Amino acid sequence: MILPAQSEWYKDAIIYQLHVRTFSDSNSDGVGDFRGLQQKLDYLEELGATAVWLLPFYPSPLRDDGYDIADYCAVHKSYGTLEDFKAFLTAAHERGLRVIIEMVLNHTSDQHPWFQESRSSRDNPKRNWYVWNDTDELYRDARIIFIDTELSNWAWDPVSKAYYWHRFFSHQPDLNFDNPEVREAIWQVMRFWLELGVDGFRLDAVPYLVERDGTSCENLPETHDIIREYRRRLDESFPGRMLLAEANQWPADVCAYFGHGDEFHMAFHFPLMPRMFMAVRLEDRKPIIEILQRTPEIPQNCQWSIFLRNHDELTLEMVTDVERDYMYDEYARDKSTRINLGIRRRLAPLIDNDRRRIELLNGMLMSLPGTPVIYYGDEIGMGDNIYLGDRNGVRTPMQWDGHWNAGFSEADPERLYAPIVSNPVYGYQAVNVDSQKRSEHSLLSWMKRLVQVRKSSQVFSRGTISFLDPPNHRVLAYVREYGNDRVLAVNNLSSTSQAVELNLRKYKGFIPIEMSGKTIFPRVGELPYLLTMGPYQFYWFRLRRI
Ligand code: GLC
């Protein structure tokens, strides 16, 4: 079943990001699978998600949690079969849930048959599918991304006695996108999944597709040409499907990936994310306003995707050195929580399990411009396990209930792909879906209401934003407008109570109606509009001319 091509559905989406292996294990082998995930679709629907983004589920040696793909057109056997995937997709579509999958096109695993052939000899027909060189001297201006593990972007291949290029781990050789055969092969992969009915792709690591000597090898015009070509083919054969860019770059460089509305439909706003955390810590709205004011307008058919946390470290690539030091000092005192240029923690532990800050940050996530992404488990305030290596600490099994293995799997605990978080604060007996469903006041119940309110008006998903400039800098206030709909959002970024005077002269005579309780507030008059706010409190008011 293919969902009808509803125009620009991605703008109004609530995306839930998850890894099949972390979610639910149906066959008791300790690893989540598609059948398990299918059984949990009710949960996603109840939460209010309208799309699910799946992390890579393809055959892989799993040295980078599946971002090292060994076969693009199959399912890793621990997660089930292609038939299981199809059944899951149909079940999701029956509920109107869209499915976004990963297209890791910059590189493959070194176990991929393409690379095995390419390395087998210098005159193999697939030699040119990867980027080979006799020395490691070329492209010296390209930075290293995984600075904690890699010393060079070149690795020596003892088989064919040459160097191959890799922007990530050395077991992830980069494909050669100058080769038309590679470009075609990747399109055929996309076609395969599109024909099955997937609604969109997150294109992994797009800035790095093409290399040119003397450049940073990022965001090159040739890379944009490739994307434009994929988009053209997508629109031609699969209208209504969506491309989402993972381009961890400054706003102007990311904006280039929207092209003239002819490249990506969506792109993550990487620079905004750390600034939301920074603003809450500094108790000052400046970082958020500055970065959004530096963000150029995007074409009408495009949309930002915004997030608080994801499966990677909280990346600090898109901040200044001073800002990075500040973030490390405030959010990662324990040095073992730092990795590459970032912090490998989940939302709740980052902010010391402070429910008020969890709510405030989610309030901003749901009211700033863009499509929000919720990282699985953050809706119940799950913790992490910093003793697991790499970024695995934020990828532990979903905590469903207080029983055996948190309801994730019936396997012996030793067999689980990763241990369940079990400490007294974040452990599954304290933090789980079942217990939170029983309480109206739990984080989960609160998140459901927040998502409902967000979905009650397209002003959040499609409206413009204008910032107010109240003298009290601890308060971030903005008005979103779409057609005749207007919402005023006011966020107290501070740990103490605040009073704020808002200049709402433009809305004189309007009545603010607080959206979660539908409470009518005093009419806006001539004078500055006075609000008092508790620590980390936020309000959403619909502005009605009554
Ligand atoms: C992306 C993924 C990350 C992965 C990397 C290399 O940045 O989000 O998890 O390690 O690409 O594929």
Side-chain angles (χ1 to χ4, degrees):
M1 177 192 177
I2 291 178
L3 281 187
Q6 206 178 70
S7 122
E8 300 183 349
W9 58 269
Y10 47 89
K11 286 193 176 175
D12 304 315
I14 305 285
I15 301 178
Y16 189 87
Q17 175 194 0
L18 67 90
H19 195 322
V20 180
R21 96 149 131 178
T22 63
F23 220 55
S24 182
D25 171 19
S26 74
N27 63 350
S28 311
D29 66 352
V31 183
D33 45 50
F34 276 108
R35 288 189 181 185
L37 174 57
Q38 192 174 329
Q39 288 159 12
K40 296 296 185 187
L41 286 175
D42 279 347
Y43 174 72
L44 301 188
E45 211 176 1
E46 279 165 30
L47 178 61
T50 64
V52 32
W53 154 28
L54 301 179
L55 296 185
F57 53 76
Y58 316 98
S60 158
L62 300 180
R63 295 178 69 194
D64 185 14
D65 208 3
Y67 281 92
D68 46 336
I69 297 178
D71 178 354
Y72 280 105
C73 294
V75 170
H76 192 288
K77 61 178 182 333
S78 317
Y79 312 148
T81 62
L82 195 58
E83 290 310 309
D84 294 341
F85 173 80
K86 289 185 197 165
F88 154 76
L89 186 64
T90 304
H93 281 173
E94 276 166 6
R95 292 158 195 262
L97 257 183
R98 307 262 173 184
V99 175
I100 302 165
I101 65 169
E102 287 275 345
M103 185 66 234
V104 186
L105 69 174
N106 178 66
H107 46 266
T108 67
S109 158
D110 58 5
Q111 303 304 307
H112 196 293
W114 295 345
F115 187 70
Q116 293 298 321
E117 280 192 49
S118 184
R119 78 166 3 163
S120 65
S121 78
R122 288 183 177 222
D123 43 20
N124 184 281
K126 288 221 163 48
R127 183 63 172 179
N128 243 338
W129 281 46
Y130 292 83
V131 182
W132 293 99
N133 203 42
D134 284 334
T135 71
D136 58 358
E137 302 283 294
L138 211 54
Y139 313 141
R140 299 200 103 172
D141 298 325
R143 71 190 165 113
I144 292 168
I145 297 169
F146 284 167
I147 49 172
D148 284 359
T149 32
E150 301 298 331
L151 297 171
S152 165
N153 287 324
W154 290 107
W156 174 249
D157 173 37
V159 181
S160 61
K161 307 215 171 1
Y163 290 93
Y164 63 87
W165 182 250
H166 62 89
R167 286 311 294 272
F168 294 91
F169 289 122
S170 58
H171 57 75
Q172 286 166 319
D174 276 33
L175 283 163
N176 175 13
F177 273 85
D178 282 327
N179 183 341
E181 287 173 13
V182 168
R183 298 202 295 270
E184 182 59 27
I186 290 295
W187 170 250
Q188 290 309 327
V189 171
M190 289 165 80
R191 219 191 150 82
F192 173 84
W193 294 102
L194 289 163
E195 274 167 1
L196 291 184
V198 302
D199 299 282
F201 295 107
R202 169 194 183 266
L203 265 63
D204 184 69
V206 274
Y208 321 110
L209 299 188
V210 176
E211 302 73 36
R212 291 289 176 266
D213 204 22
T215 74
S216 65
C217 298
E218 297 186 13
N219 311 320
L220 298 182
E222 293 86 342
T223 293
H224 287 282
D225 294 342
I226 292 164
I227 300 298
R228 221 173 292 116
E229 176 61 10
Y230 286 147
R231 172 66 183 269
R232 194 189 59 72
R233 297 177 86 167
L234 183 85
D235 285 352
E236 196 176 271
S237 312
F238 304 97
R241 313 297 177 90
M242 187 275 297
L243 300 179
L244 163 60
E246 189 218 17
N248 189 354
Q249 302 284 325
W250 290 100
D253 293 323
V254 184
C255 279
Y257 286 98
F258 294 120
H260 300 287
D262 56 358
E263 293 190 32
F264 283 95
H265 302 81
M266 291 216 282
F268 292 110
H269 202 311
F270 276 98
L272 173 62
M273 182 273 299
R275 285 172 177 80
M276 291 163 80
F277 289 93
M278 214 185 294
V280 170
R281 202 63 169 202
L282 281 167
E283 306 199 353
D284 195 312
R285 63 182 181 239
K286 194 169 159 199
I288 295 178
I289 295 193
E290 251 182 22
I291 201 71
L292 290 178
Q293 282 173 346
R294 272 181 60 191
T295 302
E297 286 285 310
I298 60 176
Q300 187 284 326
N301 57 344
C302 296
Q303 172 83 326
W304 288 110
S305 176
I306 62 177
F307 60 101
L308 296 170
R309 291 296 300 107
N310 62 20
H311 64 295
D312 286 327
E313 67 275 25
L314 187 166
T315 160
L316 297 173
E317 281 167 83
M318 294 303 127
V319 298
T320 62
D321 291 349
V322 176
E323 290 169 335
R324 190 173 311 119
D325 287 346
Y326 179 77
M327 285 294 288
Y328 277 145
D329 282 351
E330 298 299 329
Y331 284 107
R333 287 256 163 83
D334 177 347
K335 292 211 168 72
S336 70
T337 63
R338 303 178 187 179
I339 186 172
N340 299 320
L341 287 182
I343 304 169
R344 48 186 202 105
R345 300 229 74 172
R346 267 187 180 271
L347 178 62
L350 267 173
I351 47 185
D352 205 15
N353 211 14
D354 180 352
R355 170 79 181 261
R356 296 169 308 175
R357 272 180 289 169
I358 296 180
E359 291 187 5
L360 174 67
L361 283 159
N362 274 298
M364 292 196 280
L365 175 73
M366 295 285 165
S367 63
L368 285 169
T371 294
V373 180
I374 301 170
Y375 184 53
Y376 87 94
D378 280 352
E379 73 280 16
I380 55 169
M382 253 171 68
D384 49 32
N385 181 350
I386 60 169
Y387 304 103
L388 299 177
D390 199 351
R391 291 147 294 171
N392 297 324
V394 304
R395 301 171 179 178
T396 59
M398 180 68 180
Q399 294 169 198
W400 295 104
D401 58 39
H403 303 129
W404 188 253
N405 292 330
F408 162 74
S409 167
E410 282 171 16
D412 285 340
E414 299 78 14
R415 205 176 162 192
L416 302 188
Y417 76 88
I420 312 263
V421 173
S422 306
N423 67 60
V425 180
Y426 299 104
Y428 65 99
Q429 274 151 341
V431 177
N432 66 63
V433 171
D434 180 48
S435 66
Q436 295 202 16
K437 271 191 178 170
R438 298 190 205 181
S439 160
E440 279 291 297
H441 304 284
S442 65
L443 179 60
L444 179 62
S445 303
W446 182 86
M447 282 292 285
K448 284 184 193 170
R449 287 195 296 275
L450 184 76
V451 170
Q452 248 169 30
V453 179
R454 148 109 192 181
K455 283 165 58 174
S456 69
S457 166
Q458 285 188 314
V459 76
F460 292 112
S461 47
R462 301 188 177 219
T464 55
I465 186 165
S466 33
F467 290 104
L468 303 181
D469 191 23
N472 185 344
H473 276 253
R474 295 196 154 93
V475 174
L476 170 71
Y478 38 91
V479 177
R480 307 281 320 263
E481 285 196 64
Y482 185 65
N484 284 329
D485 218 355
R486 293 173 193 82
V487 167
L488 164 68
V490 192
N491 304 281
N492 177 11
L493 303 171
S494 151
S495 60
T496 56
S497 297
Q498 297 293 319
V500 64
E501 292 189 335
L502 300 170
N503 176 354
L504 294 180
R505 214 169 294 142
K506 212 175 139 191
Y507 305 102
K508 192 177 153 204
F510 282 67
I511 294 195
I513 303 168
E514 195 283 321
M515 290 179 80
S516 66
K518 301 205 167 60
T519 313
I520 295 180
F521 270 55
R523 192 183 291 274
V524 178
E526 275 298 334
L527 298 174
Y529 199 81
L530 175 73
L531 282 175
T532 52
M533 309 190 74
Y536 300 123
Q537 193 188 358
F538 75 91
Y539 283 127
W540 294 350
F541 296 107
R542 205 165 214 154
L543 296 175
R544 276 275 159 82
R545 208 196 306 255
I546 306 177

